[in-house]
Every structure is written in C-alpha cells, then in structure tokens.
Amino acid sequence: MIKRWIRGGLALLAGFQVSGAALAAEPRLDRMTGGELAAFTRALPKGGELHNHISGAVFGEALLAWAAEDGLCVDVARLALAPACQPGGDLKPASTALRDEDLRSALLDSFSVRHPDFRDRSGHDQFFGVFSRIGAVSETRGGDALAFVLDSLGRQNTFYLEAMITPQGAAAAAKGAIAGWKGGDLAAQAAATRAQGLDALVPLVSAQTDALEARARTVMRCGQPDASPGCQVTVRYLYQTIRVLPPEQTFAQIQLGVAMVAADKRWVGIQMVAPEDHPNAVANYSLHMRMVDYLTDHGRKAPAALHAGELTLKVAPPSALRSHIAEAIRVAGARRIGHGVDFPHEDGAEALAAEAAAKGVMVEVNLSSNDAILEVRGQAHPVAWLRARGVPTSLSTDDAGLLRIDLSREYARAAEEGAAYADLKRSARNAIAFSFLAGEGLWSDPGTYARPARACAGQLGAETPKPGPCAALVAASDKAREQWRHERLLTEFEAGR
C-alpha cells in the first residue's frame, strides 16, 4: 500500500532526496482519500514530539478508569474528579460513572474540548479549565500517564519524546514564597531561594523521575514478550514552570528546572506554561524573560523552549501581541517557541522571522490546539508563512487527551491544510534535530537536510553505521543515535517495506 502511495499517481519532483539518494517522486497527499491519509500519516516515522504536556495527554476514558480503580469520586455538579466522597455533597463514586452512560458522557465532555461551547464556555476557557477538573487523578497517576503517551507514540512509529512535567513544583514555589520578592535583584533572589533549601529538591525530583519511569515500564511490560512499543521510545523531560504565580514563586521553579538540567541528564530544558493571556502572565512577561535569561545564562546553562505568541486579539489586547516572541528569542535566548501563533503580528515580524531562521529557533506547531483555544485554523494559521521564511517548524499535539487527537492526526491535518510530503518529512526530522538531546547531530544543515555530517555521508538509512568515524559519532551522541534510528525507519517507509 505504501508503495502505491509513493509510486502511483505521484508528481515528479526533481532533486527530491531520501537519505542522500534521489527519489523520482514524492507522495501527493492532496490526492489521498481521508482513509489513505490517516493510514499514511500513522505509518510515517514522525521523529518525535517536542511539545507534550503529560497532564493533558490522557484521554478521559483512561482517567475515569483510573479514578474508579483508585476509589475516587465525581463531583456531579462540576463534572470533576474529587479525591474523596464527603457525606452530604453532590458526589458519587467514580465507578458509578462507568455504569451511568449519561454521566460518563458528560464527564468526557468536561475533560475535553470535543463539544464546542460546552456549558457555554469558550474553547479557551474549557481547555484551560480541564486541568482543575482532572487533577485528583492526573497528579497521582504520572507513571501511567507517561506509559499512555509512550505507547501511543510507539504505535505511531515515533520514538522520541520531550515531556513537560513539574515534579516538586509546589515545593519550589513555597520556598520562593518564603524567600519573598527582592525587588527585581535576580542575584539576590537566587541566593534567597537557595537559602531556603531549594537545592534539596533536586534529588527528590530525580527520585520522582525514577519512580515515574519505573511505573511506566511496569505498565508497558517492558522486557516481556508482549511489551508495548512504547518501551522503545526515548524520553527526556522539560521542567515546566508556571507563569501565573507571583514572581518569586515562578523564579524558584525556573531555578529548580535549571538545577535539574545540571544534575540529571534526563532533564534537558525548561518551559513556561499556563495561559499567556492571564493578567499575571501579561504583567510579568518581560520580567519572566529576564529571569530565564539570568538563570540559564542565556541558554548556556539550560536550553529554554518557551510558550510565546499563543495569543490572538480574541484573548489579549494588541499590546500583548507586539513583542512576546521577540523577547523570548532576544532576551531569554529561547531555542524553541511553543505555538508562535501571533508571530506575523509582532512588531517587525519579517525581521524577526529572518532572525529566527538565521539562529535556528524552531516553532512548535500545534494545529488542533490553536484551533480549539484561539480559533485559528486553515489559512489563518501562520505555519505556511513561517516555512516560507525558513523558520524551522515541527508538529506536536500539546494536550492530546484534552483535544482528543494524536500526533498522526496533526500530520494528517497539516496535509489537509496544504502541507506537502516534504513539509511533513522535514517536521519529523526537525523533531530530533531541534530537540535538546545531547551530542552532535547527523546533519551539517539541520532544517534543510541536504548535507549529512561528513563522518556519515552516504550511510544514512542503513541498519547500522560502518565501523569508523560514523559509528563513533553515533555511539557518542544521544541525538545522533535517535537520528540514525529515524533515518533507517524513514528509508524503510519510503521503500514500502
């Protein structure tokens, strides 16, 4: 079937490259039926996912099942999970919802954006409100949630993940609160937070990471004959910090995230999350960028991937759309931008795009999320504008469970909205090349992929590298190893094996 997609009804594309070897033509995605496109994008090796909030990645059916197993309850009025059933409240055991189809359906609506205007909420408010309604189970089932995500990616022929989580986030914020705000003296702020024992949280985060991964491996039966495909997915972590907290608390979380990158190789960068249009986020945005710049030493101590430009005039005033992405890149030193929807609306947008392209700052594109939250879709989305200006992009899900999508669906949606096969292939490669994995990559020109690294020229797509410089590179570099695996899978996919 894949051979038919690639060879039958194709448009010739001179110079198209597959791992260094010429291919006569590329698949015409615009000629595929919906079913063909769905199957094609599911089988396509998608490299990895760089924008994934684990707390929002699990579908409501799994959340309800876990809540029932854990003896949790449902607040029927709020359509939310509750940790315990209190006498006299409007609460029912979560197990009841598994037998009451009307209640179950209403809860699935409450835990997602599958029905627009649910309870007369905007997509924006419904999306961001979900987290408080599922927190009772998502906070205790982190390992199960990680297994859910890894299994899903593995079954979609995708084998790298950067997961956003915040272990010990409340403890870090509490230490920041005790330290108090030092009036913008960031050196004094760092010293005060450290004096409250912030560094003691580092081994606790590592221990939580150990437990998270151990539980995920158990759930996926890793090492057993019936192991989940998720066992083959490489996972790294971004420490997500909360931008709507008081400044001293956000600062402490960023400080802990940077410390984790230094202490534990599984932690590879930091993020900032929560609604960018929230009054606290808007008021403190420039301060937050200075915090990231100071604590990461402009990215030299820890790389940053920052949510920026997740805005439209529907949710924020014009002033908020003028410079958030610019500040993330120029002040904070962000190496990736999450969402970037308002990019063309920023002051000096063309110059900013040229700068992002020159610096290799990638935009994480979340099509379904941007549609649900911001009502930006189709030709209104800036992804084609970014690609045309050489800004690297890669598709991701954001919160797959809330949106009821998977990564393959985002690739199919991109094709439906005008992306060619070459765009999807580049997105997949970008997901590894612009990851925060350690080590040198296999490409001399990440983003364009015309020149493999000299050590591995002519070898990409093979089962294993030849003994010598290429084998040494792959052995020494986490990034090169993931790229080698992806190029082999891509070659097999394009050959129709």
Side-chain angles (χ1 to χ4, degrees), residues 92-406:
K92 293 183 177 181
S95 56
T96 301
L98 301 180
R99 301 187 298 271
D100 183 335
E101 184 54 36
D102 288 341
L103 177 57
R104 176 181 176 276
S105 180
L107 286 166
L108 295 181
D109 289 341
S110 183
F111 297 167
S112 70
V113 295
R114 71 179 187 173
H115 284 167
D117 302 318
F118 179 71
R119 289 196 165 183
D120 294 323
R121 301 181 184 121
S122 68
H124 174 283
D125 293 348
Q126 170 67 9
F127 180 94
F128 286 111
V130 168
F131 297 98
S132 66
R133 295 192 289 275
I134 65 174
V137 68
S138 63
E139 292 173 3
T140 61
R141 287 280 194 150
D144 298 79
L146 179 61
F148 187 100
V149 175
L150 296 178
D151 179 71
S152 175
L153 288 175
R155 292 178 189 278
Q156 297 174 75
N157 214 14
T158 304
F159 294 97
Y160 179 66
L161 169 70
E162 284 184 7
M164 286 181 269
I165 55 175
T166 317
Q168 297 297 319
K175 292 184 183 300
I178 296 170
W181 183 237
K182 304 306 176 185
D185 184 337
L186 300 185
Q189 193 69 44
T193 310
R194 190 171 294 110
Q196 293 302 321
L198 185 80
D199 292 343
L201 299 179
V202 171
L204 299 182
V205 174
S206 286
Q208 278 188 249
T209 310
D210 291 340
L212 186 81
E213 294 185 341
R215 174 59 181 170
R217 287 193 297 270
T218 296
V219 171
M220 295 189 295
R221 305 174 304 283
C222 296
Q224 302 301 315
D226 61 344
S228 159
C231 296
Q232 302 303 315
V233 179
T234 299
V235 60
R236 296 289 186 268
Y237 303 93
L238 301 177
Y239 198 93
Q240 61 180 11
T241 63
I242 313 303
R243 66 192 343 155
V244 300
L245 299 175
E248 62 273 16
Q249 297 182 33
T250 300
F251 184 93
Q253 289 184 339
I254 300 171
Q255 192 172 356
L256 178 57
V258 173
M260 289 312 306
V261 174
D264 188 330
K265 71 169 289 184
R266 294 171 296 184
W267 288 87
V268 295
I270 66 163
Q271 254 285 12
M272 298 198 75
V273 304
E276 192 179 343
D277 57 279
H278 187 282
N280 289 353
V282 173
N284 294 321
Y285 190 88
S286 293
L287 173 62
H288 290 158
M289 297 304 101
R290 294 197 299 273
M291 289 178 178
V292 173
D293 175 54
Y294 174 78
L295 288 169
T296 69
D297 190 21
H298 205 68
R300 284 178 281 271
K301 290 182 178 178
L306 302 179
H307 283 63
E310 191 182 4
L311 300 169
T312 68
L313 294 176
K314 287 182 178 292
V315 300
S319 58
L321 277 66
R322 293 173 185 160
S323 63
H324 279 197
I325 295 172
E327 289 186 69
I329 294 172
R330 294 167 179 167
V331 177
R335 286 168 44 183
R336 297 203 309 259
I337 297 296
H339 296 279
V341 174
D342 80 6
F343 211 128
H345 301 277
E346 297 233 342
D347 291 344
E350 292 289 353
L352 181 61
E355 181 178 344
K359 290 180 175 178
V361 177
M362 197 193 81
V363 176
E364 302 154 355
V365 174
N366 307 294
L367 297 174
S368 293
S369 174
N370 299 153
D371 186 356
I373 299 172
L374 302 174
E375 300 178 24
V376 175
R377 63 185 69 93
Q379 294 303 308
H381 198 284
V383 61
W385 182 87
L386 292 166
R387 285 197 302 257
R389 283 151 183 80
V391 179
T393 62
S394 188
L395 295 161
S396 44
T397 60
D398 196 17
D399 293 86
L402 276 64
L403 296 161
R404 300 194 70 88
I405 59 169
D406 60 17

Side-chain angles (χ1 to χ4, degrees), residues 17-66:
Q17 298 290 309
V18 179
S19 304
L23 182 70
E26 70 168 353
R28 283 293 301 270
L29 306 183
D30 58 336
R31 296 183 182 178
M32 292 184 185
T33 66
E36 287 176 331
L37 185 59
F40 181 89
T41 53
R42 185 171 179 82
L44 172 69
K46 290 169 286 295
E49 178 160 22
L50 302 181
H51 194 111
N52 187 301
H53 303 271
I54 295 298
S55 61
V58 180
F59 277 54
E61 290 88 343
L63 296 173
L64 276 176
W66 296 344

Side-chain angles (χ1 to χ4, degrees), residues 434-476:
F434 293 91
S435 74
F436 295 156
L437 278 165
E440 181 183 348
L442 290 182
W443 295 96
S444 300
D445 57 345
T448 54
Y449 306 105
R451 298 194 310 275
R454 183 182 298 274
C456 294
Q459 298 189 51
L460 300 191
E463 183 72 23
T464 58
K466 296 177 181 178
C470 186
L473 171 60
V474 173

